[in-house]
Amino acid sequence: MNDRGFDNQDLQNYLDFAIALAKDCGKIMSKSFRKSHFVKYKGIVDIVTEVDVASQGYAVNALKKAFPDHSILAEEDGLNISKGSKFKWIIDPLDGTTNYAHGIPIFCFSAALEVNSAIVMGCAYNPISEELFFATEGGGAYFNGKRVHVSKTTIFERSLLATGFPYDKKSNPDDNFDHFRDISINVRGIRRLGSAVLDLCYTASGFLDGYWELNLNSWDMAFGSLMIKEAGGEVTDFCKMPLDIYNRRILASNGLIHDELSRILCIDRNQ
């Protein structure tokens, strides 16, 4: 029995369940990929499709059946089922909805388990590329069954980063454009892939050297933050304070360029 109140076998059982759930929801996504969709607007440009809803519905029903006493937090309609439990599942049923709706194969399902305010397990799955990422607290980070680690890039100017922009960028002064400009002139390149979860997984796997974004939600950061830690990277807020996944800002890197990124991002009128 560990400090969280369960043993390693329990953690493995939760992980096995999460991976099976991710693959089942991946089948829902794959079946309708590059087909016409019913699109509902949550804002001026922020959308949800019938596949987001179907994936979440499947996941939530499966969780209720398997763990009736666990709490669940999920993206669509702000689903928040509170059971007063120390166990809380945090679900993103389709991260990268805009990509999905446009037929761009960069999206995923993600699940994370929070126990007493700490993320202890999670996974992410892109059914098109069949990329499966998973991590457990103290157990390492994995990509398609192989343990992964963050990159070894030490020279900031040679780093490849990723970021994103808020859906309400037209009206939100906290729009990330200044950061993008200030960082992009100092690095090799910046990618805007459209999936925060995969940005974090790619950073953990060493494909990217770092990632930052603001105006995120807990389901965007929960699993990915654990993946970064277990891959040997560093994950904080913009000013290198401990990450709070409910505080909407994240800075993740291989740890070797973290100070350089934070130096730019922490100078912020809205911090």
Side-chain angles (χ1 to χ4, degrees), residues 196-252:
V197 175
L198 290 178
D199 285 333
L200 287 163
C201 289
Y202 291 163
T203 301
S205 301
F207 308 147
L208 296 167
D209 301 304
Y211 162 74
W212 86 93
E213 196 162 346
L214 54 168
N215 291 290
L216 293 178
N217 291 293
S218 56
W219 46 80
D220 298 310
M221 298 183 277
F223 165 61
S225 63
L226 176 65
M227 188 80 183
I228 293 288
K229 292 175 185 176
E230 291 298 322
E234 188 171 359
V235 58
T236 65
D237 72 0
F238 285 1
C239 295
K240 297 181 64 179
M241 298 298 291
L243 178 70
D244 177 355
I245 64 169
Y246 299 97
N247 201 27
R248 302 183 68 81
R249 292 184 173 203
I250 189 168
L251 168 58

Side-chain angles (χ1 to χ4, degrees), residues 131-194:
E131 293 177 326
L132 173 66
F133 302 89
F134 65 85
T136 56
E137 185 181 49
Y142 292 80
F143 169 46
N144 285 351
K146 182 180 179 181
R147 190 159 186 174
V148 293
H149 302 278
V150 292
S151 72
K152 297 180 180 179
T153 301
T154 58
I155 301 173
F156 190 53
E157 290 77 9
R158 296 179 182 176
S159 62
L160 181 64
L161 311 175
T163 191
F165 301 91
Y167 285 110
D168 59 348
K169 56 187 177 294
K170 188 174 182 178
S171 59
N172 188 345
D174 206 16
D175 56 26
N176 201 27
F177 295 141
D178 288 348
H179 295 320
F180 184 87
R181 179 200 62 217
D182 293 342
I183 291 175
S184 64
I185 61 176
N186 289 297
V187 298
R188 173 171 289 163
I190 299 177
R191 300 293 179 259
R192 199 277 195 249
L193 300 178

